[in-house]
């Protein structure tokens, strides 16, 4: 996504486009995300279909979006930070690497993923806790996202807000790097094939590229997402001594497919529209905002 002189991306356009794209994508996939969290933290052989019917019968279809506002509050700063960091890191790497967009995307994506995770991780931790509260699986009484941050920090210590951070960073760096790297590769390949510039790609062409990039990256790092949720939602002392301990314990006690890759098919259903929407919508939105602010 190189910036040209006419439509150079400013930080305001990047932050606004990232937040907007994230909020739209998260709202679309909210029902799948809710099911995914419930499925990940539960053990046993209950199928995804059974869990879905149980939730809908008890609460109604509209309640599949329950808790989405808290999720959006977390996603907006997360993706704003991720895209802003990505553009800055990419610019620096391109100065060193030259005309190698895929390599720059891979490196910048990895660094942006770590930056965004570290900057917003407490919000992700309490969102997971609030999801349990929403489902009646915990006795906590958080009023909102920020109240939850204060309560957890006061009662369990600030370190509790960062429980599972190592597993998240271990997954975020390769996931975000691969996601942006594959996305840049698909765009470059298509542009060379049809003989157009990257800026000329339509939103509809970008959508399947974003979906494919997200799926490839997700498969590689999914076990870290399972570990992160287990660590975040466990109140009290640490459930696992380390990321490696969690990998070994879950793999031994529950198996690779039923444990470390539990809910993967459901996450595929979430990731395809989610990444497709926010990657393509970000490109289209930031381009439009840049054009509005460009001198004639």
């Amino acid at each position: 996504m190189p910036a040209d002189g006419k439509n150079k991306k400013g930080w305001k356009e990047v932050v606004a486009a990232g937040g907007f794209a994230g909020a739209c994508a998260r709202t679309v996939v909210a029902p799948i995300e809710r099911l995914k969290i419930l499925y990940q933290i539960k053990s046993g052989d209950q199928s995804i279909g059974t869990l879905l019917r149980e939730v809908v019968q008890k609460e109604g279809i509209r309640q599949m979006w329950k808790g989405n506002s808290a999720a959006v509050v977390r996603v907006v700063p997360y993706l704003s930070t991720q895209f802003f960091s990505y553009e800055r890191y990419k610019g620096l790497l391109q100065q060193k690497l030259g005309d190698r967009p895929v390599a720059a995307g891979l490196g910048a994506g990895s660094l942006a993923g770590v930056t965004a995770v570290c900057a917003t991780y407490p919000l992700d931790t309490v969102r997971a806790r609030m999801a349990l509260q929403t489902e009646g699986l915990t006795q906590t009484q958080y009023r909102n996202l920020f109240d939850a941050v204060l309560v957890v920090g006061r009662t369990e210590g600030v370190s509790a807000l960062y429980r599972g951070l190592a597993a998240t960073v271990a997954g975020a760096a390769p996931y975000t790097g691969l996601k942006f790297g594959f996305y840049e590769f698909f765009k470059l390949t298509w542009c060379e094939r049809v003989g157009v510039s990257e800026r000329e790609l339509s939103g509809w062409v970008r959508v399947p590229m974003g979906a494919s990039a997200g799926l490839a990256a997700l498969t590689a790092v999914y076990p870290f997402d399972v570990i992160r949720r287990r660590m975040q939602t466990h109140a009290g002392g640490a459930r696992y001594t380390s990321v490696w301990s969690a990998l070994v314990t879950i793999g031994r006690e529950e198996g690779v497919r039923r444990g470390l890759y539990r809910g993967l098919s459901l996450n595929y259903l979430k990731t395809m529209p989610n990444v497709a929407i926010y990657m393509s919508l970000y490109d289209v939105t930031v381009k439009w905002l840049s054009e509005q602010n460009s001198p004639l």
Side-chain angles (χ1 to χ4, degrees):
M1 294 177 285
D4 56 35
K6 182 180 179 180
N7 300 119
K8 187 176 180 179
K9 301 172 186 175
W11 71 269
K12 292 180 181 179
E13 290 81 9
V14 170
V15 169
F20 174 69
C24 291
R26 183 57 182 76
T27 300
V28 170
V29 302
I32 302 175
E33 175 67 11
R34 186 181 175 200
L35 276 179
K36 187 199 79 171
I37 292 178
L38 287 174
Y39 191 72
Q40 281 182 333
I41 61 178
K42 289 184 176 182
S43 58
D45 297 324
Q46 185 181 35
S47 69
I48 295 172
T50 301
L51 180 61
L52 173 61
R53 287 192 297 272
E54 183 180 292
V55 173
V56 173
Q57 288 174 359
K58 286 183 177 180
E59 305 176 32
I61 190 67
R62 292 181 61 183
Q63 292 305 304
M64 292 301 296
W65 278 266
K66 184 164 61 175
N68 185 56
S69 58
V72 168
V73 169
R74 179 258 172 184
V75 165
V76 168
Y78 175 76
L79 280 181
S80 292
T81 302
Q82 184 180 111
F83 279 112
F84 175 77
S85 302
Y86 174 73
E87 296 291 357
R88 293 301 176 265
Y89 289 137
K90 185 181 176 183
L92 293 173
L93 288 174
Q94 283 180 325
Q95 293 177 13
K96 301 291 185 180
L97 299 174
D99 188 23
R100 299 175 63 187
V102 176
L106 182 63
S110 297
L111 293 171
V114 173
T115 301
V117 164
C118 292
T120 63
Y121 193 76
L123 294 178
D124 190 46
T125 296
V126 297
R127 182 184 70 84
R129 295 285 190 93
M130 290 185 71
L132 294 185
Q133 176 178 295
T134 298
E135 306 303 330
L137 300 176
T138 181
Q139 300 301 314
T140 56
Q141 296 294 326
Y142 306 127
R143 293 192 298 273
N144 52 53
L145 202 67
F146 299 105
D147 177 60
V149 170
L150 295 175
V151 171
V152 173
R154 184 174 62 249
T155 59
E156 301 180 42
V158 175
S159 62
L161 292 169
Y162 289 89
R163 187 176 296 150
L165 177 61
T168 307
V169 169
Y175 172 74
T176 314
L178 289 170
K179 178 182 68 177
F180 279 106
F182 275 119
Y183 189 54
E184 293 291 350
F185 171 75
F186 292 144
K187 289 193 297 182
L188 178 64
T189 301
W190 183 258
C191 287
E192 291 178 346
R193 183 186 181 104
V194 300
V196 298
S197 68
E198 189 272 335
R199 293 193 63 83
E200 293 178 289
L201 292 178
S202 69
W204 294 112
V205 172
R206 297 173 191 268
V207 166
M209 296 177 183
S212 300
L215 288 179
L218 172 65
T219 304
V221 303
Y222 186 73
F224 295 106
D225 188 53
V226 173
I227 293 171
R228 171 173 63 102
R229 286 291 177 223
R230 298 284 183 92
M231 288 182 167
Q232 286 178 333
T233 57
H234 179 68
R239 187 174 186 178
Y240 307 106
T241 57
S242 66
V243 175
W244 176 250
S245 170
L247 282 169
V248 173
T249 301
I250 296 173
R252 183 180 63 248
E253 295 180 354
E254 303 176 41
V256 174
R257 186 173 66 85
R258 291 180 177 272
L260 294 174
Y261 280 91
R262 181 178 179 83
L264 179 61
S265 58
L266 186 61
N267 222 355
Y268 278 154
L269 294 177
K270 171 212 166 184
T271 297
M272 287 184 65
N274 187 44
V275 180
I277 291 171
Y278 73 68
M279 293 290 276
S280 59
L281 187 57
Y282 166 78
D283 272 352
V284 172
T285 303
V286 78
K287 175 185 175 184
W288 182 82
L289 290 174
S290 299
E291 290 173 344
Q292 304 310 303
N293 294 327
S294 295
L296 297 177

